[in-house]
Amino acid sequence: MKRVFLIFLLSVSLIQARKIIVKMATLAPEGTDWHGMLVEMGQEWKKATDGQVQLRIYPGGVVGDERDMVRKMRIGQIHAAGITTEGLTEIVPDFSAFYIPLAFQDNDDIQAVLDDMYPSLEKKLNDKGFKLLYLADLGWAYWFSTTKVTSPLDLKDKRIFTWAGDFKWAEVYKKAGYNPVPLASTDILSGLQTGLIDAMSTMPLYALAQQAFGITNHMLDLKWGTLLAGIIIDLRTWNRIPAKYHEEIISIANSIREKHQQNNINAENQAIDAMKQYGLVIHQPSPEEIILWQEEVKRMEPHLRGKIIPEDIFDRVLELTQD
Amino acid sequence: MGRLISLLVIILFSLSCVPRVLITEHPKLVSYYFTKKIESLEKKKDLTFDQQRALLKTKVEYGFGILMEESDRVIDDNYNLGVQISRNAYIEFNEAKKIGNSILSNTYPRFDSWLKNGTEIIFKSNDVFDLYWLAAAFGGAIRSSRGNPFEVVNLPVVKKLLETAINLNSNWGRGALYSAMMNYTSSRPDLFGDSMVDSISYFYEKALIASDSLNASVYVSYAEIIDKKYQNKTEFEQKLHYVIQMDDKNDKDFRLSNIIAQERAKWLLSKTDEYFFE
């Protein structure tokens, strides 16, 4: 009887030992679609691995910003993160490929660069100790301002928001003749209210969530930039997961991403429509103004190429998106 | 027989003398009470002013107290089912918004314009009930919509309604307005870190004073909004244990909401390990 009991105890502890809890951080607030996507993914992982892989999500920046997430993954405090290219660039600078202004004008551009660079980005992340589960676009960034902006000249009159701590971008704008004002994201609204800043390049969903649209109620309908996000997991944790589940885990992550991708596109359009109801004015640039913007980006090139974005990556992106 | 049970349930809940075990062990009965009450009001052709108010309040209470509570729990194990329940709550909140808007627009024909900052209205102190429940309906619609931009855009409306109500009678509902301000403040994009903690703590203290510290949901809200977010595990556990030990018979007004808050506290405590990463 004693032996049976011991065998039972041993088998229970072995089952317990095989259970892998993956602690994942994200800035996405609880209750949003992005957070929901991770919750759903965790439930599917649990099902597919017979409960061996359990995802624990820490939403809303509980773990800190994306730099903190990367740091905490490195020391093993968390094991995975749903992060944007902002955080991914901290690990592999090549992710700055997606920073080039005006380079991406439709999903085909993004896809062309992803198709070309994904294997290399994946490998470089792997070399740094991270497994990339997927990468997808979150949406487009546009210029929002307090008064009409349709040409680069209009923007030069403005005090534009740049991320505090991201001195490189502030320098790029400064050298190109703009007035960057580095601020923490939590100071954007008060900065707009007090006139400290009067323009910002951001995604419509973010402008809505920031409640900035009441002040920056002019939007230039020109895709200035794009933001991508992905899921990474540290290799130590990834390798603890039995290899037989790896393919299924990646496949689940991708199918849930596809399901939510459409929601994301809809949400961006809805955000613009919702803000229009509250007075947001959308300005279409003329063909001549679009050329002016393109020339402006060309003038910014020496400050970007090799400074913020590795030279080979910069050239490759332009090559892939030229058409 | 079925009608008799319905009547008995409605009487029990209305008189606040329903046995605790009936609420905690048979949540479907509580849900049944709310749906029956809503149904009976909706069946009436011409609702009186008081009936409209009752319908507004019941829909919001049902949305938060039953549907969103259920959704929060279900979503952890079955995301799609949880979202579906949340959608049901969204329907209730949106209907409540329409009722609240209609009540206030009847009294103030330019109410809709006031909401969009287009005009000024001088409200009276007996409008606080409608302003509060309409704010709660807007807040519920934002939360249950799970990030729908057409709802998120209404966040400033919640602020406007609550601040107007507070200016008219800050202690109305024994701290209900302050408690609602705690939740609104947690969604403010311009607050973070200490400024967020300070602002919410301000309303927390006010809500506790106004409710003589008898409203359990104030503690639960603070534990979720601040202690969980800022990873104060000890304070989180302390508050929730305190809530569980509160005697639900201490205050008749808060009895039902306190029982719901105590159940939520138990559920949150069971998830402590998931919420705190260190």
Side-chain angles (χ1 to χ4, degrees):
Chain A
M1 188 62 192
K2 236 179 184 178
R3 265 182 74 183
V4 174
F5 184 66
L6 275 172
I7 290 167
F8 172 74
L9 268 184
L10 193 67
S11 45
V12 167
S13 57
L14 277 173
I15 290 166
Q16 292 287 338
R18 284 213 303 266
K19 194 183 280 180
I20 299 157
I21 292 176
V22 179
K23 294 182 177 182
M24 179 185 281
T26 175
L27 285 180
E30 209 168 344
T32 56
D33 192 58
W34 229 86
H35 172 251
M37 184 188 79
L38 299 178
V39 172
E40 194 179 2
M41 187 180 75
Q43 287 169 6
E44 294 296 320
W45 283 2
K46 192 176 170 184
K47 243 188 267 171
T49 61
D50 292 324
Q52 283 188 56
V53 176
Q54 298 192 6
L55 188 63
R56 225 173 245 182
I57 303 160
Y58 299 93
V62 159
V63 173
D65 63 20
E66 294 194 343
R67 285 175 194 185
D68 293 327
M69 288 177 201
V70 172
R71 191 172 52 81
K72 283 176 179 164
M73 280 177 81
R74 282 183 172 135
I75 57 173
Q77 266 187 331
I78 57 166
H79 316 117
I83 53 175
T84 65
T85 30
E86 192 79 25
L88 290 166
T89 308
E90 283 287 308
I91 311 170
V92 176
D94 292 10
F95 279 96
S96 58
F98 299 96
Y99 287 176
I100 306 175
L102 297 183
F104 302 90
Q105 286 304 304
D106 54 35
N107 290 327
D108 289 346
D109 287 338
I110 296 173
Q111 202 51 52
V113 174
L114 276 178
D115 288 345
D116 185 78
M117 291 189 181
Y118 197 94
S120 145
L121 292 170
E122 196 178 22
K123 190 188 173 304
K124 285 183 180 176
L125 267 176
N126 209 71
D127 294 344
K128 298 271 183 170
F130 300 95
K131 172 79 187 164
L132 178 65
L133 296 191
Y134 78 68
L135 194 60
D137 61 305
L138 275 184
W140 301 101
Y142 301 89
W143 281 107
F144 287 82
S145 50
T146 52
T147 54
K148 184 179 170 183
V149 167
T150 52
S151 74
L153 205 60
D154 297 331
L155 194 64
K156 283 185 176 165
D157 281 344
K158 299 268 174 279
R159 289 171 294 271
I160 61 176
F161 162 80
T162 55
W163 295 92
D166 194 355
F167 302 109
K168 285 183 183 172
W169 270 102
E171 273 306 297
V172 170
Y173 280 119
K174 206 183 259 180
K175 283 176 181 162
Y178 296 90
N179 305 307
V181 180
L183 283 178
S185 62
T186 46
D187 293 332
I188 290 176
L189 195 58
S190 59
L192 288 167
Q193 283 160 345
T194 56
L196 191 61
I197 50 170
D198 45 22
M200 60 196 283
S201 147
T202 192
M203 288 161 58
L205 270 172
Y206 194 73
L208 179 83
Q210 281 282 332
Q211 304 291 323
F213 60 90
I215 306 166
T216 50
N217 53 355
H218 294 265
M219 185 188 114
L220 175 65
D221 191 6
L222 180 72
K223 293 183 177 88
W224 181 250
T226 180
L227 190 70
L228 275 75
I231 292 178
I232 52 169
I233 179 165
D234 79 74
L235 278 180
R236 283 163 300 185
T237 307
W238 179 249
N239 291 332
R240 276 175 57 216
I241 298 171
K244 62 177 176 179
Y245 295 131
H246 284 180
E247 204 178 310
E248 180 71 357
I249 283 177
I250 294 172
S251 152
I252 289 169
N254 272 304
S255 65
I256 288 180
R257 170 189 61 81
E258 278 166 27
K259 183 176 150 189
H260 286 262
Q261 187 92 25
Q262 193 52 47
N263 290 355
N264 211 26
I265 295 167
N266 294 344
E268 179 169 309
N269 295 331
Q270 286 174 350
I272 293 172
D273 288 343
M275 289 188 286
K276 271 159 80 176
Q277 286 179 6
Y278 278 78
L280 181 77
V281 184
I282 314 283
H283 301 284
Q284 297 292 336
S286 66
E288 295 77 25
E289 283 165 337
I290 292 174
I291 291 168
L292 288 176
W293 283 106
Q294 285 163 343
E295 287 170 355
E296 190 68 7
V297 171
K298 195 86 190 142
R299 272 196 290 276
M300 289 165 89
E301 196 178 305
H303 313 304
L304 291 171
R305 187 175 175 275
K307 302 272 177 15
I308 288 186
I309 304 155
E311 288 170 8
D312 55 332
I313 297 290
F314 189 97
D315 298 339
R316 185 74 185 132
V317 170
L318 291 191
E319 199 180 307
L320 290 163
T321 57
Q322 225 166 25
D323 295 337
Chain B
M1 185 65 183
R3 288 185 69 181
L4 192 67
I5 292 171
S6 306
L7 195 66
L8 189 67
V9 168
I10 288 176
I11 290 169
L12 275 173
F13 278 94
S14 309
L15 295 177
S16 300
C17 59
V18 59
R20 183 190 171 95
V21 69
L22 214 62
I23 301 172
T24 56
E25 302 298 319
H26 304 281
K28 287 219 163 89
L29 213 56
V30 189
S31 180
Y32 181 73
Y33 158 73
F34 277 105
T35 48
K36 278 286 157 197
K37 197 173 167 187
I38 289 169
E39 257 176 45
S40 76
L41 283 165
E42 283 179 336
K43 263 186 204 160
K44 296 187 197 318
K45 275 194 178 158
D46 293 308
L47 292 180
T48 64
F49 182 70
D50 285 341
Q51 285 169 334
Q52 284 181 57
R53 281 181 151 188
L55 186 57
L56 163 65
K57 180 174 180 270
T58 311
K59 276 186 177 286
V60 175
E61 284 177 334
Y62 177 53
F64 276 117
I66 307 296
L67 296 173
M68 289 309 289
E69 280 292 315
E70 192 187 353
S71 169
D72 284 353
R73 283 163 175 74
V74 169
I75 225 158
D76 277 351
D77 296 315
N78 186 339
Y79 176 75
N80 292 314
L81 181 60
V83 168
Q84 185 52 52
I85 299 168
S86 186
R87 276 191 202 123
N88 295 342
Y90 180 61
I91 294 169
E92 296 297 339
F93 288 127
N94 263 319
E95 284 173 4
K97 268 162 60 180
K98 281 181 203 153
I99 299 163
N101 265 317
S102 147
I103 292 171
L104 283 157
S105 296
N106 277 339
T107 320
Y108 306 102
R110 302 194 67 189
F111 179 72
D112 199 43
S113 165
W114 174 82
L115 272 184
K116 290 173 182 157
N117 302 321
T119 186
E120 287 295 318
I121 292 178
I122 298 167
F123 290 92
K124 298 181 194 79
S125 59
N126 62 355
D127 295 321
V128 174
F129 179 99
D130 307 314
L131 292 166
Y132 169 79
W133 286 105
L134 181 57
F138 269 103
I142 293 171
R143 196 176 144 213
S144 59
S145 78
R146 306 187 63 78
N148 179 342
F150 287 107
E151 297 301 337
V152 177
V153 81
N154 289 323
L155 200 59
V157 169
V158 177
K159 180 189 181 206
K160 192 174 169 107
L161 289 164
L162 288 176
E163 283 182 348
T164 306
I166 285 177
N167 286 335
L168 289 165
N169 181 1
S170 59
N171 282 327
W172 178 89
R174 297 174 63 196
L177 293 167
Y178 292 124
S179 188
M181 277 305 280
M182 281 171 66
N183 287 299
Y184 160 73
T185 307
S186 71
S187 309
R188 277 180 60 176
D190 55 332
L191 296 179
F192 194 73
D194 288 346
S195 59
M196 172 71 87
V197 175
D198 290 348
S199 303
I200 291 175
S201 298
Y202 170 81
F203 292 117
Y204 171 66
E205 296 294 336
K206 293 261 187 192
L208 287 182
I209 292 167
S211 64
D212 300 315
S213 302
L214 293 172
N215 186 353
S217 64
V218 177
Y219 295 101
V220 176
S221 291
Y222 195 90
E224 281 196 86
I225 296 169
I226 295 295
D227 295 332
K228 182 180 150 192
K229 184 172 172 70
Y230 294 100
Q231 300 282 290
N232 308 322
K233 189 176 177 183
T234 311
E235 288 86 341
F236 177 83
E237 289 178 325
Q238 275 172 354
K239 279 188 197 74
L240 297 179
H241 281 302
Y242 175 75
V243 163
I244 292 168
Q245 283 160 12
M246 283 171 83
D247 184 351
D248 63 68
K249 293 185 191 75
N250 270 348
D251 194 293
K252 206 181 115 201
D253 292 348
F254 293 131
R255 185 154 186 268
L256 184 60
S257 71
N258 277 359
I259 293 173
I260 292 171
Q262 286 176 321
E263 290 305 300
R264 187 167 183 89
K266 283 180 202 163
W267 173 67
L268 290 169
L269 275 172
S270 74
K271 300 180 73 70
T272 305
D273 285 346
E274 291 177 33
Y275 294 153
F276 296 88
F277 76 96
E278 283 177 310

